[in-house]
Amino acid sequence: MGRIEGTGAGGVTYGTTGGDFAEWMPQKNAMESLEAGDIVAVKDGLISKDTRSAASVLVVSQAPGFLGNSSKNEAVARTGKNVALVGQVPVKVKGQVRQGDYILPSENNDGIGIAKAKRAVSF
């Protein structure tokens, strides 16, 4: 459960144990198994582990502190996942990761990432 407090300086603090700001997004294929920590692509507003030519690459949230676009309809809610937009999120990674590395999709479309040193990545 979160708490809301005034800062005394005109601001508001929302405290929560969740680590990210997430949004519920529908899956491209509701039968695809997605779980917290999986890397997913967003294409045409739908999420999938298939990261080829993705518009955005995000991570399925484990425990969002804020959640937008959620559905009260349980049948609809089961057709998507909460995906982290900003914050700290556990991510599935294969191999060693060093501080400062980028985490990129593994190119196997399996939801798992690989670490790459900053000097080895060009955008």
Side-chain angles (χ1 to χ4, degrees):
M1 192 76 160
R3 68 180 187 290
I4 301 174
E5 301 174 359
T7 65
V12 177
T13 299
Y14 177 72
T16 178
T17 57
D20 61 85
F21 182 97
E23 182 173 322
W24 178 89
M25 293 186 174
Q27 291 179 226
K28 181 177 180 180
N29 176 357
M31 300 305 291
E32 182 179 35
S33 175
L34 296 178
E35 58 187 42
D38 281 340
I39 295 174
V40 294
V42 180
K43 296 180 194 171
D44 301 322
L46 304 172
I47 59 171
S48 169
K49 288 181 185 175
D50 182 356
T51 57
R52 293 174 289 191
S53 67
S56 298
V57 178
L58 303 171
V59 177
V60 177
S61 178
Q62 180 176 353
F66 293 92
L67 178 63
N69 199 32
S70 63
S71 175
K72 291 182 181 181
N73 181 320
E74 288 186 31
V76 171
R78 286 191 297 270
T79 65
K81 294 292 181 193
N82 300 332
V83 181
L85 302 175
V86 177
Q88 298 179 24
V89 187
V91 180
K92 294 178 182 178
V93 180
K94 182 179 180 179
Q96 186 175 4
V97 180
R98 292 184 177 88
Q99 184 175 348
D101 284 353
Y102 287 110
I103 306 298
L104 304 174
S106 69
E107 298 182 0
N108 293 326
N109 301 308
D110 55 5
I112 298 175
I114 56 172
K116 294 280 187 176
K118 284 183 181 180
R119 66 182 178 283
V121 178
S122 62
F123 292 101

